[in-house]
C-alpha cells in the first residue's frame, strides 16, 4: 500500500509542476526531453550504475518490453497534446484518465484478477467521478470521437505495460526495464526536438528536471504497487486519488473555486477509494 500512496503523490506532483511550468515554458518537447534525461539518470542510479546491461538470459525480454513502453509513453503524451488542440482540455483529460479501462480489462481477462462486488462498485464510481469532475457543458460540440478513442487506448496501453511487465517480465530486471523505457522515450523525444528545431532555455531545463523526479518515482512505485496489490485495485485508485490531490491542491495553491458537481465528484472519489480497498 505504501508504494501505491507514493505513486499517487508522485503522479499528482507531475501535474502540479506542469501547471506551474505553463506560463514560462514555450518548448514543451524540449522540457519533455530534459524530463526523460532526468529519469534516465535516476533509473541508472537505482539499477546500480555498473549494472545497466547485466549478463542475464532474460535481458532481451526486459529490453524489448522497455522499448515498447517508451514508445507508448511518448506516443500517449503527443496524442494528448494533439487532442487538447482538437478537442479541448476537458474531454482530453477525461479520456486520458479513462485509459485505466485498458489495464483493468487486461487484468481481468488475461491475468484472471476478478474484483469483488464492492470493488466493482468502487470502479464504476471512480469512472463516474472522472467524468463528473471534468464535466463542462458543450465540451463535446466539435469533438473527434476517433481521436479521443485513440487517446484512451494509447494512454491506457502505456499504463498497462507496467502490469504486463509485472506478470510476464523478469522481475529481477525491473530497474533496467524502467531505464530502457526512459532511454527509448528520450531518444525519440530528442529526434522530435531536432525536427521541430526547439530550444533548451533555462525554464525547459528547470521544469524538465523538476518533472523528471516525480515522473521516475511514479513509474517505479507503480511497479512496486502492482507487485503487492491486484491491478483492479491499483489502477483506479492511482487515477482517482491523484485527481483528488490535484484538485485539492488547486483550491489551496492556485485559489481555484470548485463547482458544485466537482465537490460531488470529490465525495464520490472518497467513497470509491474506500470500496476499492476493502
Amino acid at each position: 500500500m505504501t508504494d501505491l500512496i507514493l505513486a499517487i503523490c508522485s503522479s499528482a506532483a507531475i501535474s502540479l509542476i506542469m501547471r506551474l511550468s505553463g506560463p514560462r515554458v514555450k518548448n514543451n518537447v524540449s522540457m519533455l526531453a530534459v524530463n526523460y534525461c532526468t529519469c534516465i539518470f535516476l533509473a541508472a542510479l537505482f539499477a546500480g550504475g555498473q549494472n545497466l546491461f547485466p549478463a542475464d538470459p532474460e535481458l532481451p525480454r526486459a529490453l524489448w518490453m522497455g522499448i515498447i513502453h517508451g514508445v507508448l509513453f511518448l506516443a500517449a503524451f503527443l496524442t494528448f497534446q494533439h487532442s487538447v488542440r482538437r478537442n479541448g482540455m476537458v474531454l482530453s483529460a477525461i479520456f486520458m484518465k479513462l485509459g485505466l479501462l485498458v489495464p483493468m480489462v487486461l487484468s481481468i481477462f488475461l491475468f484472471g484478477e476478478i474484483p469483488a462486488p464492492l470493488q466493482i462498485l468502487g470502479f464504476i464510481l471512480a469512472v463516474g467521478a472522472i467524468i463528473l469532475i471534468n464535466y463542462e457543458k458543450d465540451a463535446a460540440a466539435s469533438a473527434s470521437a476517433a481521436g479521443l478513442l485513440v487517446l484512451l487506448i494509447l494512454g491506457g496501453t502505456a499504463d498497462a505495460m507496467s502490469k504486463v511487465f509485472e506478470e510476464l517480465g523478469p522481475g529481477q530486471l525491473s530497474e533496467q526495464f524502467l531505464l530502457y523505457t526512459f532511454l527509448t522515450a528520450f531518444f525519440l523525444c530528442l529526434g522530435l526536438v531536432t525536427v521541430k528545431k526547439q530550444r533548451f532555455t533555462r525554464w525547459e531545463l528547470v521544469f524538465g528536471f523538476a518533472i523528471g523526479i516525480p515522473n521516475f518515482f511514479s513509474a517505479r512505485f507503480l511497479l512496486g504497487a502492482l507487485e503487492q496489490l491486484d491491478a483492479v485495485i491499483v489502477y483506479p485508485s492511482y487515477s482517482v486519488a491523484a485527481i483528488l490531490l490535484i484538485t485539492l491542491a488547486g483550491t489551496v495553491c492556485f485559489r481555484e473555486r470548485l463547482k458544485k458537481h466537482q465537490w460531488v465528484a470529490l465525495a464520490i472519489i472518497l467513497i470509491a477509494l474506500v470500496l476499492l480497498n476493502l
Side-chain angles (χ1 to χ4, degrees), residues 28-44:
N28 285 333
V29 181
S30 296
M31 181 182 71
L32 196 63
V34 177
N35 146 70
Y36 288 135
C37 187
T38 304
C39 291
I40 289 169
F41 172 78
L42 291 171

Side-chain angles (χ1 to χ4, degrees), residues 248-261:
L248 293 177
T251 62
V252 174
C253 301
F254 301 108
R255 305 294 181 183
E256 294 177 347
R257 305 184 74 175
L258 299 183
K259 299 174 183 177
K260 288 181 180 179
H261 70 270

Side-chain angles (χ1 to χ4, degrees), residues 28-256:
N28 285 333
V29 181
S30 296
M31 181 182 71
L32 196 63
V34 177
N35 146 70
Y36 288 135
C37 187
T38 304
C39 291
I40 289 169
F41 172 78
L42 291 171
L45 188 66
F46 279 89
Q50 303 299 318
N51 202 32
L52 305 185
F53 295 92
D56 190 303
E58 299 284 1
L59 181 64
R61 190 148 48 109
L63 181 60
W64 71 255
M65 291 180 82
I67 291 172
I68 293 173
H69 196 199
V71 171
L72 290 170
F73 240 40
L74 186 59
F77 178 82
L78 295 175
T79 303
F80 177 73
Q81 279 195 324
H82 174 76
S83 181
V84 169
R85 291 192 296 269
R86 176 68 176 82
N87 304 305
M89 177 60 76
V90 173
L91 281 176
S92 299
I94 289 174
F95 276 79
M96 189 70 171
K97 290 297 183 183
L98 288 178
L100 68 89
L101 293 169
V102 176
M104 287 289 292
V105 169
L106 284 177
S107 299
I108 292 170
F109 290 100
L110 292 184
F111 304 126
E113 294 185 357
I114 307 300
L118 287 178
Q119 291 172 335
I120 294 174
L121 178 58
F123 173 72
I124 293 170
L125 288 175
V127 171
I130 289 171
I131 296 171
L132 183 59
I133 202 166
N134 291 285
Y135 173 76
E136 294 289 348
K137 290 182 180 179
D138 302 323
S142 60
S144 165
L148 290 170
L149 183 61
V150 169
L151 175 61
L152 184 152
I153 293 172
L154 270 178
T157 306
D159 288 340
M161 277 302 298
S162 295
K163 178 61 181 175
V164 172
F165 181 82
E166 190 272 328
E167 288 285 344
L168 304 177
Q172 73 276 17
L173 297 177
S174 60
E175 303 291 358
Q176 285 79 6
F177 164 70
L178 290 177
L179 173 65
Y180 307 150
T181 294
F182 293 120
L183 273 170
T184 301
F186 171 73
F187 283 114
L188 291 174
C189 200
L190 201 60
L192 283 175
V193 169
T194 304
V195 170
K196 291 176 174 287
K197 298 180 180 178
Q198 290 197 354
R199 297 182 303 133
F200 291 92
T201 69
R202 176 182 61 179
W203 292 118
E204 279 78 32
L205 295 174
V206 169
F207 282 105
F209 175 75
I211 291 170
I213 295 173
N215 194 16
F216 168 76
F217 284 107
S218 175
R220 189 170 188 268
F221 288 131
L222 182 61
L223 264 181
L226 288 166
E227 292 174 0
Q228 303 163 21
L229 301 167
D230 287 347
V232 293
I233 296 173
V234 172
Y235 282 107
S237 298
Y238 177 70
S239 294
V240 295
I243 291 173
L244 177 65
L245 288 182
I246 293 164
T247 305
L248 293 177
T251 62
V252 174
C253 301
F254 301 108
R255 305 294 181 183
E256 294 177 347

